[in-house]
Amino acid sequence: MLFVELAQQLNYTRAAQALGISKGYLSEQIKTLENELQCPLLLRTTRSVRLTPKASVRLNRAWRSAIRYFSLSAAWASSILR
């Protein structure tokens, strides 16, 4: 969820603070993710961070996956509590 937080904040410092991690660690993890996916996710300048078009698509997929996961978890928990 590091990528999701950074995509929401579009700021490494604020995202790292929200996640309770260092800015350097967040940067390393995002670079690792970009290497694994073999595509840049962010357009970086010294003053701003923006999502690439491919990152926007991946972010939407991540949100859909998270929603499905939490919906299934809630349904499972509800069935156990009955």
Side-chain angles (χ1 to χ4, degrees), residues 2 21-30:
L2 301 179
I21 60 175
S22 74
K23 187 170 108 173
Y25 179 75
L26 176 59
S27 179
E28 287 174 22
Q29 294 303 304
I30 296 299

Side-chain angles (χ1 to χ4, degrees), residues 7-76:
Q8 287 180 314
Q9 299 284 347
L10 293 177
N11 180 289
Y12 275 90
T13 301
R14 286 193 304 262
Q17 288 173 343
L19 293 162
I21 60 175
S22 74
K23 187 170 108 173
Y25 179 75
L26 176 59
S27 179
E28 287 174 22
Q29 294 303 304
I30 296 299
K31 287 177 187 173
T32 298
L33 179 60
E34 289 177 320
N35 288 335
E36 288 174 6
L37 297 173
Q38 298 180 343
C39 72
L41 298 173
L42 302 166
L43 302 171
R44 302 164 179 88
T45 68
T46 56
R47 295 189 176 258
S48 70
V49 177
R50 290 182 296 134
L51 296 177
T52 63
K54 285 186 179 183
S56 294
V57 170
R58 291 186 186 278
L59 180 61
N60 286 331
R61 287 181 189 157
W63 274 118
R64 283 195 303 270
S65 294
I67 290 167
R68 264 186 260 127
Y69 170 79
F70 287 113
S71 294
L72 291 172
S73 294
W76 179 77

Side-chain angles (χ1 to χ4, degrees), residues 74-82:
W76 179 77
S78 176
S79 70
I80 287 178
L81 296 174
R82 288 186 188 158

